[in-house]
Amino acid sequence: MSTIHESRPADALRAGDRQADERASAQKPLGGIAGWMDDRLGAAKGVSFLAKKVFPDHWSFMLGEIAMYSMIVCLLTGAFLTFWFVPSATPVVYDGSYVPLQGVTMSDAYRSTLGISFDIRGGLLIRQIHHWAALIFIVSVFVHMARVFFTGAFRKPREINWVFGTILSMLACIEGFAGYSLPDDLLSGTGIRAMNGFVQSVPIIGSYMAYFIFGGAFPGEAIIPRLYSAHVLLIPAILVGLFTAHILLVFVHKHTQFPGPGRTNRNVVGYPLLPVYIAKAGGFFFIVFGVIALISAVVTINPIWAYGPYDPSAITAGSQPDWYMGFADGALRLLPGWLEFETFGFTWSMNIFPGSILLLPIMWGIIGAYPFVESWVTGDKREHHLLDRPRNAPTRTAIGVAGISMYLVLFMAAGNDLMAIKLHLSINDITQVLRLLFFIAPPISFWITKRICLSLQRADRNKVLHGRETGTIWRYADGRFEEIHAPLTPEERWVLVQHEAPAPLQLSASKDANGVDNPVARKQRLRAKFSHFYFADRVPPATPAELEAAHHEHDHTAAPTGEHEAIEAAGAGQERETIKADKHHG
């Protein structure tokens, strides 16, 4: 074997490199502007990864999209409003086009809001779109969180995403309150006045906090600019950051999906981002925007010109906060007055402080911590990408409904004065009834919801074992009656049997073989009690052995075709024979 060395001059050693680079450039999949951008940013691989990302298709997933799109609408309309809104409490005399308020002294913030409403072309419509989009954003976030909770989408590895969503929903309420307070009309000024009282109810440091927030004694001239900075800069930046992190984690963890044939914890069955999902999402964005615009064009909201400018000596009769803060207002109305007391020279306003300041962090803290509590109780450390049907997690579903019932009681309490006026009832009686319901409604709702879930599970189990009811009744020769049950398809059966029914954890011995106390026995007993609370009442899904036994039993009890006598009219003979044949063979 010999090797031949070809002698080449030094300047010819890299003669073919240029042609190789040109051939490699010609083989690139992108060209034009996209290729130019990829050469400088190297984004083709990331875009290709995103384009191939698969998303499942289910109507409930649109709830999160509605929240995202309505937030985008809020950002767009809010940017428009900042061009004309003046965040100042400086007194001015109004000389705009709204005649009933001409010559009235008001803040510059209120004057500029009137100018947007009456003097800027399209300004009132943009204001209405901004307000309606904010309300829809908050309600869609709450409903989306309910969907995630009841389907178990918060389980590993999505606990952090659940915490992000919890913080986002709380900040959305605070952001809504800040924007609601900016026009400085009589209604929003009353809300700011209430906020001042809430802050002052904080034990020991409340008065100092109120003085710091308002820049002096209430009302001052600093609160409007400070709320404006928080509303247009600080909170929106946090919301956008949390939303971005939320979406990125959805891409990292892959989207959850409802159970079905071919769907596992290791795959996603659906449509790719490009071109199908992005086209559907884009169209849905314009649908959401259009619906919000239509509502804003025909339904008036927050008519500040009807309230007039804020005056600390006046108050609007029947004033109510926006719905998302109604539960906090209701909590204040239900707290009894005797909770206020004095010790060490300080006034402890426990009739105000728990419902105004403590309620929000406690409520959202419990919501944010729930995934970790359930994980500890169940001991389940696996990743879950398949969603639960709410009926298959009866205790979790019952806990959620109990929490919603408690929220609804507080929400109703926010209107106890209006209910008393409109229904001609005693406001004291309404308040006492709502106080009782706050403690009675959650356990009743829990028990009823859990019973319903267990009943639905038993119905699913019977459907798997015995088939679907057809409504066709047959009479035997001996006079017995029987309803024909049609067998389920494999796809229908899969959804009803794929879930798990964990058994409660068993108590471990408090002492080992040598009589030494187990150091973790107390924690294990506590965990076992919670586990018994979660899983003591359970309906296990039908197993393949039980399904085979049920089919074997039906085959043996099925009578020959000639022994049946139908109740239907004689004219349905052919259809009757077909049903009898299906019954006999299956």
Side-chain angles (χ1 to χ4, degrees), residues 74-363:
C74 281
L75 294 175
L76 294 175
T77 54
F80 176 90
L81 296 175
T82 57
F83 294 146
W84 290 279
F85 180 75
V86 180
S88 172
T90 304
V92 296
V93 177
Y94 179 70
D95 60 352
S97 60
Y98 187 64
V99 177
L101 290 177
Q102 287 181 355
V104 176
T105 301
M106 59 187 63
S107 67
D108 210 4
Y110 186 66
R111 181 203 59 78
S112 64
T113 308
L114 289 176
I116 293 173
S117 303
F118 295 107
D119 301 321
I120 304 300
R121 181 166 298 180
L124 180 58
L125 178 61
I126 298 299
R127 269 196 63 233
Q128 299 246 131
I129 291 176
H130 187 72
H131 202 134
W132 275 114
L135 298 182
I136 293 175
F137 168 62
I138 296 174
V139 70
S140 57
V141 168
F142 284 173
V143 177
H144 173 67
M145 289 185 64
R147 197 277 301 173
V148 171
F149 178 84
F150 286 117
T151 59
F154 55 79
R155 293 173 294 176
K156 182 181 177 180
R158 297 176 179 82
E159 301 96 334
I160 296 178
N161 223 3
W162 172 262
V163 174
F164 283 170
T166 303
I167 299 174
L168 193 149
S169 63
M170 182 176 68
L171 289 178
C173 292
I174 299 174
E175 171 76 346
F177 175 78
Y180 165 87
S181 304
L182 286 179
D184 200 32
D185 59 290
L186 184 57
L187 183 61
S188 64
T190 302
I192 296 179
R193 180 60 168 151
M195 183 190 73
N196 177 59
F198 300 159
V199 175
Q200 288 182 335
S201 70
V202 177
I204 302 177
I205 62 173
S207 57
Y208 302 100
M209 291 178 60
Y211 198 87
F212 172 76
I213 292 173
F214 286 87
F218 179 86
E221 294 187 359
I223 188 61
I224 298 296
R226 291 178 178 180
L227 284 176
Y228 181 77
S229 299
H231 182 70
V232 304
L233 291 176
L234 178 61
I235 302 179
I238 300 175
L239 287 175
V240 172
L242 288 174
F243 238 113
T244 304
H246 186 82
I247 297 300
L248 288 177
L249 286 177
V250 170
F251 277 91
V252 170
H253 297 147
K254 71 187 178 185
H255 206 293
T256 55
Q257 58 186 342
F258 283 95
R263 301 176 183 179
T264 68
N265 280 314
R266 294 181 297 275
N267 70 351
V268 178
V269 178
Y271 299 102
L273 182 65
L274 287 175
V276 178
Y277 194 82
I278 197 69
K280 296 175 65 176
F284 190 52
F285 166 74
F286 289 107
I287 291 175
V288 173
F289 203 155
V291 171
I292 294 175
L294 178 62
I295 296 174
S296 304
V298 299
V299 182
T300 301
I301 189 170
N302 196 23
I304 60 166
W305 54 89
Y307 307 137
Y310 176 64
D311 181 0
S313 63
I315 187 171
T316 305
S319 59
Q320 300 287 325
D322 273 344
W323 71 268
Y324 48 83
M325 298 301 293
F327 73 98
D329 190 36
L332 288 171
R333 301 186 186 206
L334 293 186
L335 286 170
W338 50 262
L339 290 177
E340 180 177 301
F341 58 91
E342 293 185 8
T343 55
F344 307 108
F346 295 100
T347 300
W348 302 79
S349 301
M350 294 298 106
N351 58 333
I352 299 177
F353 176 64
S356 59
I357 304 297
L358 282 184
L359 181 63
L360 267 68
I362 288 178
M363 187 179 79

Side-chain angles (χ1 to χ4, degrees), residues 419-537:
M419 287 189 287
I421 294 172
K422 300 299 182 181
L423 301 177
H424 305 286
L425 298 174
S426 169
I427 189 173
N428 294 326
D429 293 342
I430 294 175
T431 302
Q432 293 295 343
V433 170
L434 291 174
R435 283 174 179 169
L436 291 175
L437 283 177
F438 180 79
F439 297 101
I440 296 175
I444 294 177
S445 302
F446 177 90
W447 183 81
I448 293 175
T449 303
K450 191 171 183 179
R451 292 300 105 190
I452 292 175
C453 290
L454 293 173
S455 299
L456 291 174
Q457 283 185 287
R458 293 189 183 96
D460 288 345
R461 179 181 171 85
N462 291 333
K463 185 183 293 185
V464 170
L465 295 177
H466 306 294
R468 181 180 61 255
E469 296 179 355
T470 63
T472 302
I473 308 298
W474 291 86
R475 188 178 70 184
Y476 287 84
D478 57 2
R480 292 182 296 112
F481 292 90
E482 178 185 348
E483 182 180 11
I484 302 300
H485 286 247
L488 301 180
T489 63
E491 291 78 10
E492 294 173 330
R493 189 183 303 119
W494 174 272
V495 178
L496 304 181
V497 300
Q498 52 76 38
H499 64 280
E500 299 176 347
L505 297 176
Q506 300 299 321
L507 286 172
S508 58
S510 60
K511 296 183 179 181
D512 59 16
N514 299 320
V516 179
D517 291 335
N518 186 354
V520 296
R522 181 177 300 176
K523 183 184 297 185
Q524 289 179 346
R525 285 197 296 269
L526 178 62
R527 182 180 171 190
K529 289 181 180 179
F530 277 108
S531 178
H532 187 271
F533 169 74
Y534 266 76
F535 304 122
D537 298 326

